[in-house]
Amino acid sequence: MNTPDPTPSAAAVHRLLRIDGAGVADARGLLAAPGTLLFRLDDAAPPHAGRAFWHARATLLAAGAPADIDRALRTLTRADGHTPDLVRIDARDRLLVPGLVNAHAHLDLSHIPPVEHPPGAGFAPFARVVIAGRAQDEPGVAASARRGIDLSLAGGVVAVGDVAGPVRGRPTLTPALEMLRAGLWGRSYIEFFARGTPDEERQRTDALGEWFDAALAEWTRAGGEAPSPLHAPARLGLGISPHATYSVSRRGYGWALRRARRSGLALMTHLAEHADERRFIASGDGPVREFYEALSAWHDGRAWDVGDGRSPVAWLTEVLRGGDIAAAHVNDCDDADLQTLAETGARVLYCPRSSAYFRNHEVFGPHRYRDMLRAGVTVALGTDSLINLPAAHPGSAARLTPLDDARLLLARDGDAGGVDPVELLAMLTTRGARALALDERAFGFGEHRSEIERRSESERRSAGVTAIALTGSGDPLRAAFAGDGAPELLLLGK
């Protein structure tokens, strides 16, 4: 049994929560089967209509076999002379795992239903769907983000790396504020575009800098944690997202890097996502150039620094070397690119269903996430937007969760490809937290007792617990990933 806490006194215990499951697992693997978790809850809100989970500041007390938790509870009672307030959840038909991390999502596009993508259509038709369908005012953005949040919670997700797209060309804090109100963990990356003449780009980044000054003040007034270059956010933080190599110049990336360093903001970009991006960066032509020409926004390729044969990763190398950057997708990755990712410490946010939707494997070959992991690159799983997630199986339309992406990888790549449920669970929890620059200890169930008892209470804070219904018998970890059992959030930490 893992016992992260010396036995607390009754005066310190506001409420205990015991969750019994078919097993307990985290990024280290299956810890116990059957398994039980024990938490102390402070500032707790019980389940109620519209929110079927506990929401509390949760401190992990113990994780292990049910008999071990029984002994811990008896010891607690004997030490204090009475029985503490104990709430029990029976999830013995499900696997208990830490709350899941969706490392890459677009919550503000959650009002747009899934759209089929014709083979060979390229990225431009999809971009037109996004541009035409995006909410055009703050109330619409808020409603869409709330729907995405509700679908995320329904999918057992407690942390999201969200991209907050601009509204009528202006940055917005609205998705971040909705995440804050909902109690989610994660990052809200404020997205911007900056391709044009040097003067045009300077005007855009100057305006964006002024907006960030005001937005950070609004964020802290709303109860958000003030960004700091000295430490990661306790729960939910802000970030900057230069959209992509074909929509932001290197000057724009440089501005974002400097601003992120100065303000303690995380940095994320879309990188090497599709063939149109590769063609534009390497050759300076194709659908992306045609898009800019249609807007009368195209300038000489040399001014845009494209067309010299480089890959998107190679084009961005100096920026990657200069900062701690999360890169969404990276479907296009040759050996030199892989080495660059490993050397620069870039973190990859892989969205398997999105990649399959655009048939990127037909152009670039299988995604190299396994090679990335072997090279020491942090790889986390994301969903991308609802638009590119046609229902894969019953129930998937009622949730937004990277668990369904992990299941795709296990079914497609399997053991023969070196993919196992333990690796996938790490990509859904601790590696997701690391990719978003969160404290990954909140996305696990502790270490060995001799090590954990020395940790402070803040180090034992839990982001939450998700229960996954099992399909079949045997190893509950494999049964949870191999089937299509629904996830359910049982506890969301504060």
Side-chain angles (χ1 to χ4, degrees), residues 179-347:
M179 292 173 70
L180 183 67
R181 294 185 186 103
L184 278 183
W185 298 50
R187 292 278 186 175
S188 179
Y189 297 100
I190 309 302
E191 186 175 56
F192 74 95
F193 300 77
R195 275 282 193 187
T197 67
D199 285 343
E200 288 170 343
E201 292 172 7
R202 191 177 303 111
Q203 290 174 6
R204 290 174 189 170
T205 54
D206 286 350
L208 189 61
E210 294 175 1
W211 180 88
F212 261 106
D213 291 338
L216 293 178
E218 180 182 354
W219 174 249
T220 54
R221 286 196 301 271
E225 183 178 352
S228 168
L230 302 178
H231 61 80
R235 181 172 60 83
L236 178 64
L238 298 178
I240 304 177
S241 177
H243 172 255
T245 60
Y246 58 90
S247 56
V248 177
S249 71
R250 232 192 301 263
R251 290 182 293 270
Y253 274 102
W255 175 86
L257 191 58
R258 292 189 297 274
R259 179 72 202 216
R261 286 173 176 167
R262 178 161 64 89
S263 301
L265 299 166
L267 198 58
M268 171 265 156
T269 189
H270 301 83
L271 179 61
E273 183 177 1
H274 49 78
D276 292 349
E277 176 184 3
R278 157 71 88 151
R279 180 173 174 180
F280 180 70
I281 295 299
S283 305
D285 59 12
V288 173
R289 175 170 171 170
E290 293 167 4
F291 173 82
Y292 285 119
E293 287 176 335
L295 296 175
S296 299
W298 172 252
H299 305 278
D300 184 84
R302 287 169 296 179
W304 281 36
D305 196 17
V306 297
D308 63 0
R310 285 174 293 180
S311 71
V313 172
W315 185 90
L316 199 63
T317 295
E318 292 308 310
V319 175
L320 294 173
R321 293 189 191 283
D324 192 16
I325 299 176
H329 304 299
V330 196
N331 298 306
D332 174 12
C333 182
D334 61 22
D335 288 345
D337 294 336
L338 178 59
Q339 183 176 351
T340 296
L341 295 173
E343 290 176 349
T344 60
R347 305 179 303 278

Side-chain angles (χ1 to χ4, degrees), residues 132-158:
R134 184 180 289 281
Q136 297 299 307
D137 55 38
E138 297 293 350
V141 170
S144 188
R146 284 196 298 271
R147 181 169 191 266
I149 290 167
D150 289 343
L151 291 171
S152 299
L153 294 170
V157 170
V158 300

